[in-house]
């Protein structure tokens, strides 16, 4: 169903949750634009507001109904406005959403995001809410049109769903069993993106290193990494998230031997206590986890490793928590997403005995964060004096005294703020800088740029902004702000 240009309706997609949802929202935007909708400008209330929800966070339901309530007056004022709710919470609450918020026009699930434009049109014609929630995936979502947020970096799904049953996680219930894309499809998408100027891809899956289980090739993920290494013009390959139980040495070898695969690994730990890992139904133990880290470091001594950790899982004792601190000390993570356990309805852990008092969880959480901050800072200090290649990020620069600083990511994904001289790089360009200072969560390079390499990704960014020359672009560069933070990883409790 296509909206004609004269009557073009505006849309806004509001995204909650992990990287998988961020990428799904790129598809929702692509679908709507394909159907003739145009993005609403900042501050304008869109004709169509889409909530792409996350069911994982505590009180996600309350937040959604609060947000829907806020939109109700706008909808009363403009009856042509439409509200759609999709994502994990829609899949979980099913028809309940239109019962609790009858001013919602469309509810769609995680398996049928491709139906959104048709459902909006049907709701308009029928004058009543349309609810479509499929139980399993019919079309792999990567075949849908996508409006990429970035001109230089892109997510590429290799799989959706998960065959594990971690007791704190709602994902298997809402995203279904793992479905793998064929390697040829993945590589075609990667090549197309590179042709459009993209320099960096992140291969995305709930459990990337079980990739291939569906088509019977246990080594498929390592092979896919090596195949990405043959794509001309692709400078950086990352992936998220691997599961420690399924992590095989061929993936480490592929990372170490494929020049464009970055020496960066995000591998969820969740707990360092074997007893808690068992209760979480995570089928690896601390020794295995540490063994993978040690082999990654042997193969790539410069690798930056990050993780997810849950504190205060039901029944966690002080001894269990100490075991987590021990693994954190030994692992020397570059950074960690740390979460306080809270009950997520619908998960097995929600009804486990021995739920811990909030203050116990909070106190342990503070100790863990303090330890990790200390390690992150010490690890970052080791970078001072090193020369790094940085992919300049979208977002805004920062002006301290007379120095304009921009930001970007090093190969190991560390955030770097660097000083800019006469020539201003564009998002998507590559700069080489020397690190002069380290903070716990970022590096600073205040000297002159060692080099600036203008890229096709930078050209593509400039074309999107309506600039034609690098000189013109520097005039458009904002001066205050920060690049957008990374969303949580896919296989994480938040
Ligand atoms: S935490 Fe990750 S591995 Fe475990 S069930 Fe959820 S998505 Fe799967």
């Amino acid at each position: 169903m296509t909206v004609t240009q004269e009557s073009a309706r505006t849309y806004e997609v509001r995204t909650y949750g992990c990287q998988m949802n961020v990428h799904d929202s790129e598809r929702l935007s692509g679908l709507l634009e394909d159907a003739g909708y145009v993005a609403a400008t900042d501050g304008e209330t869109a004709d169509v507001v889409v909530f792409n929800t996350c069911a994982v966070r505590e009180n996600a339901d309350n937040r959604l109904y609060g947000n829907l309530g806020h939109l109700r007056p706008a909808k009363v004022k403009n009856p042509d406005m439409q509200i759609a709710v999709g994502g994990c919470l829609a899949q979980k609450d099913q028809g309940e959403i239109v019962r609790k918020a009858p001013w919602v026009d469309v509810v769609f699930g995680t398996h049928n995001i491709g139906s959104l434009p048709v459902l909006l049109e049907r709701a308009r014609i029928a004058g009543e809410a349309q609810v479509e929630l499929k139980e399993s995936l019919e079309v792999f979502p990567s075949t849908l049109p996508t409006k990429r947020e970035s001109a230089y970096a892109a997510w590429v799904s290799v799989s959706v769903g998960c065959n594990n049953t971690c007791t704190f996680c709602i994902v298997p219930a809402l995203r279904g069993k793992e479905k793998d894309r064929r390697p040829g499809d993945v590589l075609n998408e990667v090549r197309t993106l590179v042709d459009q100027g993209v320099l960096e891809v992140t291969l995305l899956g709930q459990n990337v290193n079980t990739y291939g289980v569906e088509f019977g090739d246990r080594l498929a993920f390592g092979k896919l990494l090596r195949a990405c290494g043959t794509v001309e013009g692709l400078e950086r390959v990352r992936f998220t998230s691997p599961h420690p139980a399924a992590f095989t040495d061929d993936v480490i070898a592929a990372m170490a031997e494929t020049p464009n695969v970055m020496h960066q690994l995000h591998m969820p730990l969740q707990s360092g206590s074997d007893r808690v890992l068992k209760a979480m139904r995570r089928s690896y133990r601390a020794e295995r986890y540490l063994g993978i880290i040690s082999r990654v470091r042997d193969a790539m001594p410069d690798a930056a490793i990050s993780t997810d950790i849950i504190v205060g899982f039901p029944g966690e004792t002080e001894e269990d928590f100490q075991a987590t601190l021990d693994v954190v000390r030994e692992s020397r993570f570059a950074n960690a997403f740390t979460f306080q356990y809270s009950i997520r309805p619908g998960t097995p852990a929600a009804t486990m005995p021995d739920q811990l008092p909030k203050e116990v969880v909070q106190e342990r959480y503070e100790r863990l964060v303090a330890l990790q901050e200390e390690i992150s800072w010490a690890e970052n200090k080791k970078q001072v004096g090193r020369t790094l290649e940085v992919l300049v990020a979208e977002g805004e620069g920062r002006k301290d005294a007379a120095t304009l600083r921009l930001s970007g990511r090093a190969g190991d994904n560390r955030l770097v703020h660097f000083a800019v001289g006469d020539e201003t790089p564009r998002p998507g360009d590559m700069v080489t800088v020397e690190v002069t200072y380290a903070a716990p969560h970022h590096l600073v390079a205040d000297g002159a740029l060692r080099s600036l390499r203008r890229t096709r990704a930078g050209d593509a960014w400039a074309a999107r902004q309506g600039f034609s020359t690098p000189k013109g672009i520097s005039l458009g560069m904002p001066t205050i702000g920060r690049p957008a933070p990374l969303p949580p990883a896919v296989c994480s409790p938040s």
Side-chain angles (χ1 to χ4, degrees), residues 161-172 206-207 241 243 268 270 280-282 490-493:
C162 180
N163 294 347
N164 291 330
T165 54
C166 302
T167 50
F168 56 80
C169 183
I170 194 82
V171 164
Q206 244 90 32
N207 213 335
S241 294
H243 193 296
Q270 309 304 13
M280 288 176 165
R281 236 185 267 146
R282 305 273 296 176
V490 185
C491 176
S492 85

